[in-house]
Amino acid sequence: MTDAATPPIRIDFVSDVSCPWCAIGLQALEQAIARVGEIPVELHFQPFELNPKMPAEGEDAIGHLTAKYGMSEAQARQNGEAIRARGAELGFRFDMDRRRHVWNTFDAHRLLHWAELEGLEKQRALKHALLRAYFSDGENVSDHDTLARLAESAGLDGARARAIVASDEYADAVRERERHYTGGGITAVPSVIFNNRHLVQGGQPVDVFERALRQLATAAP
């Protein structure tokens, strides 16, 4: 147990909107947080682009996977089914038939950066909205109208969101954060960093995140 004066455990969740294992990892992390409800946490979402050079028109999802990872179409579909099943176990719905395209996610990261400034709960709500839009509903998460609508659904100002994505606002800040994490050795996501020191990578089971949180809470001064 911790007392009221215990500082929260800071969690930086480095991830991309188009990363299925990031959706899985977030579900597991949040369930672990719920299990250790007496331990205060402060969750921040940090940017990472799996495909920073993705063109505006995006790419076919299966074609992208086969070209990038050297797998066959059958293997790509088998991997998709494994991801769908793992997500279902954690309460997240992947619809691989609707998620047919891979999109550039830089504007989504710019909105997430702004959302953090508006409040961590709003950033968290926007992150969930983006993941659901892409993986469950097959939406284009680079489309400005879609991004503005998702921002509104997360309790943010839709007009302000539209103005941000129509400009270069927060572009430099997002690039700086991306360089910070890649420069620190982050090459794969999700990468979950606790108190700026302890790293857990991948879509780990709930128990792994729960154990990390309890160990850090016990070690706190």
Side-chain angles (χ1 to χ4, degrees):
M1 294 292 289
T2 61
D3 59 44
T6 301
I9 295 171
R10 180 183 173 108
I11 306 172
D12 288 287
F13 192 88
V14 187
S15 62
D16 197 1
V17 173
S18 62
C19 164
W21 289 104
C22 295
I24 288 169
L26 179 57
Q27 289 291 114
L29 174 63
E30 290 188 321
Q31 290 181 26
I33 291 171
R35 286 185 185 180
V36 298
E38 75 280 7
I39 299 173
V41 302
E42 186 178 283
L43 179 57
H44 300 255
F45 294 96
Q46 305 294 355
F48 186 99
E49 291 176 87
L50 289 173
N51 306 292
K53 296 182 180 180
M54 180 66 63
E57 66 273 17
E59 293 180 357
D60 171 76
I62 295 295
H64 172 78
L65 291 172
T66 57
K68 184 173 182 177
Y69 299 107
M71 61 177 66
S72 67
E73 180 176 339
Q75 288 173 319
R77 295 189 184 282
Q78 287 172 357
N79 286 351
E81 175 56 26
I83 288 168
R84 186 206 62 75
R86 180 73 182 280
E89 291 175 0
L90 292 165
F92 186 88
R93 180 173 64 86
F94 286 97
D95 190 332
M96 297 305 182
D97 289 332
R98 300 185 72 177
R99 195 214 70 171
R100 295 178 178 177
H101 227 66
V102 179
W103 303 103
N104 186 289
T105 58
F106 186 66
D107 286 341
H109 286 300
R110 289 198 294 127
L111 279 191
L112 284 164
H113 182 91
W114 163 61
E116 181 184 33
L117 301 177
E118 296 293 307
L120 294 181
E121 286 305 312
K122 289 183 178 181
Q123 188 193 36
R124 189 169 174 174
L126 179 58
K127 182 71 170 184
H128 278 287
L130 287 163
L131 290 171
R132 286 195 305 269
Y134 181 60
F135 287 112
S136 303
D137 302 329
E139 294 194 70
N140 177 355
V141 290
S142 69
D143 177 74
H144 289 186
D145 289 338
T146 299
L147 289 171
R149 173 173 53 79
L150 295 174
E152 282 188 328
S153 76
L156 293 154
D157 185 327
R160 178 78 176 103
R162 193 178 300 276
I164 290 169
V165 294
S167 70
D168 291 327
E169 196 168 357
Y170 302 120
D172 289 344
V174 170
R175 293 295 187 210
E176 189 281 327
R177 284 198 180 184
E178 288 179 331
R179 287 192 298 267
H180 171 77
Y181 289 103
T182 56
I186 299 299
T187 59
V189 288
S191 288
V192 188
I193 305 168
F194 297 89
N195 287 339
N196 297 308
R197 295 181 61 189
H198 308 282
L199 173 65
V200 176
Q201 288 190 300
Q204 299 291 339
V206 178
D207 290 348
V208 171
F209 290 118
E210 180 183 2
R211 187 160 56 248
L213 289 167
R214 294 196 183 282
Q215 288 174 348
L216 288 168
T218 300

